[in-house]
């Protein structure tokens, strides 16, 4: 009897691994030696000794991967080798050649990225340190470093990682698109740490405030060591005297400093989720390029959810691309006002456009300022500003309407040049808020994942069916065989059968989420599994959700919380 029981359990347990090849085999390394390689998509190199970081192939799109380093638990990417040239998910390899060169080769065997470290003489090895630094160094002497990822940061600086004259941070295009974006943090030639907006047509520094001298912003230009570092306690200091401490200053959480896709530099601390513990103290609208040309940025308050910032087109303009505010607005009228002395001006209160001045004319009346603007074919409008010091009005005609900001804090109006044709240009017309740059993150479609999920769903449905059938038969056989046995034995055996059942739940969860059982947060399991982290991102797929719900219930720790086989079959069939 006992032998049969053991066989039964062995059968139950072994029936599970048959379905495991669905997720391709992958290897976890702690050191990569010469002549070996990491294969996409599954192989990883974990940091030692505490596995805080993982290096491997991070999915960025439709069968597209980037060689990356991320926080193992918190899943935030901190470095990418090939952010602008993602590689294929299959047959891509990161190889440490015998020459000592580290090469990322796509399926076509083309090197997509290399560390350029050939010709090192000693035996080398690739290691990931618990600081998040991927280091290629001598195999024997770990302090002899040939190449390190800390020297080529992407958008994130980790504690202890210096920003130097040779390195800069470049934001991502969007929260979901990891390719190089518009914002850069770097040391300028005058030794000052700056933030630059560098768009396709325009580029300008916006921090520290460009209209102030460096010393007025508390920066020193004299120390040419050009280094800045965030320490482990959350203190940041730069050689130009810029310093800050995070709100949770002190030893404790893991931190990262990231130049986000919206141009804001933030420090995040990990406490079961990433929390912002410092961000660049600039008014959100002063981040250049945020609203594009011919538009106005407005903001109410700093809120925990975001910056409370929104974009609106100038009157008689409309959004060029409602989905991407940075493309700005285009005139709603046929003809750009140009070289026509009959052009008219529309007053827009509490509004300022920064930069792109044709000139600066002191002590001018409104009429004088209008005729100055009309005298330039390229003048699109002018700022008319009272100078409290001199007690006169100054005139700032502009060629380009960029960095527009509307706030009740501004007294001065802006005058927009419009073609003469219509007398209906109205001052009172409210600004059409066609363009909203709210901070809700719009997720990009990840076709690859989606397709894969459907494929997976099919395999899962099959495996669920087969497993279900096997288990039903086994349980029936088992019940039949054990009907003569004592109560005690029966109870005990049921627990073991149920354990097999639990592992089925765990395996399904693992396949659906791509997480290891350790990472799946079973505490979150409740009636409404749609709110659990496990089902995040699969809302669009009801069948899969159902499967996850069943799997979650099967994986409950208390046996009486788990559904019976009949309920499972019912749940799987009724959807
Ligand atoms: C290890 O490498 C470091 C840096 O190159 C060097 O200073 C040190 O002397 C080396 N130690 C040994 C034992 O070779
Ligand atoms: C990410 O942004 C870059 C640059 O704007 C673009 O070329 C690329 O197609 C985008 N990738 C995805 C997956 O949308
Ligand atoms: C320059 O900055 C570095 C790094 O912050 C600092 O160690 C050094 O003392 C500074 N030098 C001077 C002359 O202030
Ligand atoms: C401003 O211009 C007016 C007229 O040209 C002149 O009378 C006045 O003195 C000027 N004010 C200043 C402060 O220059
Ligand atoms: C914010 O963006 C989301 C997604 O694009 C949109 O559905 C929502 O209407 C926007 N909110 C506002 C206030 O415009």
């Amino acid at each position: 009897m006992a032998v049969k029981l053991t066989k039964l359990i062995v059968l139950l347990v072994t029936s599970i691994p048959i379905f495991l090849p669905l997720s391709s085999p992958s290897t976890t390394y702690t050191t990569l030696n010469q002549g070996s390689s990491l294969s996409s998509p599954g192989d990883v190199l974990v940091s030692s000794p505490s596995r805080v970081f993982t290096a491997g192939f991070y999915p960025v799109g439709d069968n597209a991967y980037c060689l990356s380093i991320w926080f193992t638990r918190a899943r935030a990417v901190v470095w990418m080798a090939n952010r602008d040239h993602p590689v294929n998910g299959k047959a891509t390899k990161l190889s440490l050649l015998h020459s000592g060169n580290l090469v990322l080769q796509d399926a076509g065997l083309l090197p997509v990225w290399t560390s350029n470290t050939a010709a090192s003489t000693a035996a080398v090895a690739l290691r990931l340190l618990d600081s998040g630094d991927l280091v290629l160094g001598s195999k024997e002497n770990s302090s002899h470093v040939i190449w390190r990822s800390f020297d080529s940061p992407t958008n994130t600086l980790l504690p202890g990682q210096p920003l130097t004259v040779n390195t800069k941070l470049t934001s991502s295009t969007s929260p979901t698109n990891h390719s190089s974006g518009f914002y850069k943090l770097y040391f300028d030639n005058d030794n000052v740490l700056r933030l630059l907006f560098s768009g396709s047509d325009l580029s300008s520094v916006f921090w520290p405030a460009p209209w102030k001298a460096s010393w007025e912003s508390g920066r020193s230009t004299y120390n040419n060591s050009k280094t800045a570092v965030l320490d482990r306690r959350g203190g940041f200091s730069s050689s130009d005297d810029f310093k800050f401490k995070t709100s949770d200053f002190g030893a404790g959480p893991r931190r990262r400093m990231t130049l986000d896709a919206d141009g804001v530099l933030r420090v995040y601390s990990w406490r079961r989720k990433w929390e912002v513990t410092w961000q660049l103290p600039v008014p959100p609208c002063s981040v250049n390029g945020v609203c594009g040309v011919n538009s106005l940025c407005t903001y109410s308050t700093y809120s925990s959810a975001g910056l409370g910032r929104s974009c609106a087109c100038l009157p008689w303009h409309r959004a060029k691309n409602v989905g991407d505010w940075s493309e700005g607005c285009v005139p709603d009228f046929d003809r750009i006002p140009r070289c026509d002395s009959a052009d008219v001006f529309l007053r827009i209160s509490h509004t300022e456009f920064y930069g792109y001045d044709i000139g600066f004319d002191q002590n001018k009346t409104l009429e004088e300022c209008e005729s100055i603007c009309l005298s330039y074919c390229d003048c699109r409008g002018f700022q008319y500003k009272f100078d409290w010091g001199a007690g006169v009005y100054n005139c700032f005609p502009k060629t380009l309407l960029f960095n527009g900001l509307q706030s009740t804090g501004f007294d001065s109006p802006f005058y927009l040049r419009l073609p003469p044709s219509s007398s209906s240009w109205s001052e009172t017309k409210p600004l059409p808020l066609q363009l909203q740059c709210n901070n809700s993150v719009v997720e990009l479609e990840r076709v690859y994942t989606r397709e894969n999920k459907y494929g997976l769903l099919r395999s899962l449905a099959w495996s669920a069916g087969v497993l279900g059938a096997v288990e039903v038969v086994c349980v029936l056989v088992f019940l039949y065989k054990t009907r003569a046995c004592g109560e005690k034995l029966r109870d005990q055996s049921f627990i073991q059968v149920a354990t097999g059942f639990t592992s089925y739940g765990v395996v399904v969860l693992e396949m659906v989420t791509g997480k290891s059982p350790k990472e799946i947060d079973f505490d979150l399991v409740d009636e409404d599994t749609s709110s659990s982290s496990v089902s995040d991102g699969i809302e669009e797929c009801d069948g899969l959700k159902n499967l996850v719900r069943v799997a979650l219930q099967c994986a409950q720790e208390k046996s009486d919380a788990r559904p019976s086989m009949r309920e499972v079959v019912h749940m799987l069939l009724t959807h």
Side-chain angles (χ1 to χ4, degrees), residues 149-170:
S149 62
F150 268 15
D151 291 340
S152 56
T154 44
N155 64 351
T156 298
L157 215 56
L158 289 168
Q161 175 179 12
L163 188 75
T164 67
V165 62
N166 298 317
T167 57
K168 60 175 181 294
L169 299 188
T170 304

Side-chain angles (χ1 to χ4, degrees), residues 174-241:
S174 76
T176 48
N177 182 340
H178 294 270
S179 65
S180 301
F182 298 129
Y183 300 98
K184 290 181 172 45
L185 177 74
Y186 71 110
F187 275 103
D188 212 339
N189 292 336
D190 64 355
N191 306 323
V192 173
L193 188 62
R194 294 188 199 283
L195 275 171
L196 171 78
F197 167 78
S198 169
S200 42
D201 313 325
L202 306 161
S203 104
S204 56
V205 165
F206 61 93
W207 177 80
W211 54 89
K212 283 188 188 165
S214 299
W215 57 266
E216 286 180 291
S217 309
R219 302 301 191 86
S220 149
T221 53
Y222 302 115
N223 188 334
N224 69 358
S225 65
K226 296 183 190 166
T227 13
V229 68
L230 176 70
D231 65 36
R232 259 162 239 293
R233 295 162 57 78
F236 181 89
S237 76
S238 160
S239 57
D240 68 355
D241 282 352

Side-chain angles (χ1 to χ4, degrees), residues 63-226:
N63 191 29
Y65 290 80
C66 288
L67 174 63
S68 312
I69 300 171
W70 60 86
F71 280 95
T72 307
R73 250 185 77 75
R75 296 297 288 186
V77 174
V78 297
W79 180 78
M80 277 189 174
N82 54 319
R83 67 197 304 206
D84 293 317
H85 305 282
V87 291
N88 196 297
K90 295 194 185 70
T92 292
K93 273 188 160 68
L94 173 72
S95 309
L96 180 53
L97 307 180
H98 286 287
S99 66
N101 205 5
L102 193 58
V103 182
L104 180 65
Q105 275 176 321
D106 208 343
L109 292 181
L110 288 173
V112 175
W113 174 87
T114 160
S115 64
N116 288 317
T117 47
S120 49
T121 48
V124 294
L126 185 70
R127 296 187 188 87
L128 182 57
L129 310 184
D130 273 336
S131 60
D133 196 3
L134 185 64
V135 173
L136 182 65
S138 158
K139 205 166 153 82
E140 279 78 40
N141 180 355
S142 58
S143 52
H144 181 65
V145 172
I146 296 158
W147 173 90
R148 60 178 4 138
S149 62
F150 268 15
D151 291 340
S152 56
T154 44
N155 64 351
T156 298
L157 215 56
L158 289 168
Q161 175 179 12
L163 188 75
T164 67
V165 62
N166 298 317
T167 57
K168 60 175 181 294
L169 299 188
T170 304
S171 68
S172 299
T173 304
S174 76
T176 48
N177 182 340
H178 294 270
S179 65
S180 301
F182 298 129
Y183 300 98
K184 290 181 172 45
L185 177 74
Y186 71 110
F187 275 103
D188 212 339
N189 292 336
D190 64 355
N191 306 323
V192 173
L193 188 62
R194 294 188 199 283
L195 275 171
L196 171 78
F197 167 78
S198 169
S200 42
D201 313 325
L202 306 161
S203 104
S204 56
V205 165
F206 61 93
W207 177 80
W211 54 89
K212 283 188 188 165
S214 299
W215 57 266
E216 286 180 291
S217 309
R219 302 301 191 86
S220 149
T221 53
Y222 302 115
N223 188 334
N224 69 358
S225 65
K226 296 183 190 166

Side-chain angles (χ1 to χ4, degrees), residues 464-465 468-469 472 501 504 542-543 546-547 549-551 553-554 563-575:
V472 167
F501 204 21
Y504 160 68
D542 278 353
N546 190 39
L547 199 57
R549 186 174 309 129
V550 174
Q553 288 179 11
C554 290
S564 70
M565 185 65 78
R566 256 185 78 170
E567 286 166 330
V568 169
V569 172
H570 181 75
M571 281 188 276
L572 288 174
L573 290 184
T574 50
H575 212 91

Side-chain angles (χ1 to χ4, degrees), residues 351-388:
T351 297
E352 184 165 279
F353 281 91
Y354 178 75
Y356 306 96
D357 297 352
I358 299 172
F360 158 57
D361 298 275
Q362 232 171 343
N363 189 15
K364 295 287 180 234
T365 65
L366 187 56
E367 292 70 31
E368 284 168 337
C369 196
E370 284 187 0
S371 55
I372 290 170
C373 184
L374 290 174
S375 71
Y376 296 109
C377 292
D378 282 343
C379 180
R380 297 292 325 277
F382 60 89
Q383 197 74 48
Y384 193 59
K385 205 171 179 178
F386 190 69
D387 178 349
W388 291 95

Side-chain angles (χ1 to χ4, degrees), residues 436 438 440 442:
Q436 286 286 331
N438 63 25
S440 63
V442 184

Side-chain angles (χ1 to χ4, degrees), residues 269-292:
S269 299
W270 174 257
R271 286 189 189 75
R272 291 182 68 90
K273 66 182 174 65
W274 288 110
E275 289 169 4
V276 177
T277 49
W278 177 85
Q279 66 181 19
L280 200 64
V282 294
C285 285
S286 66
V287 176
N288 279 175
V290 116
C291 290

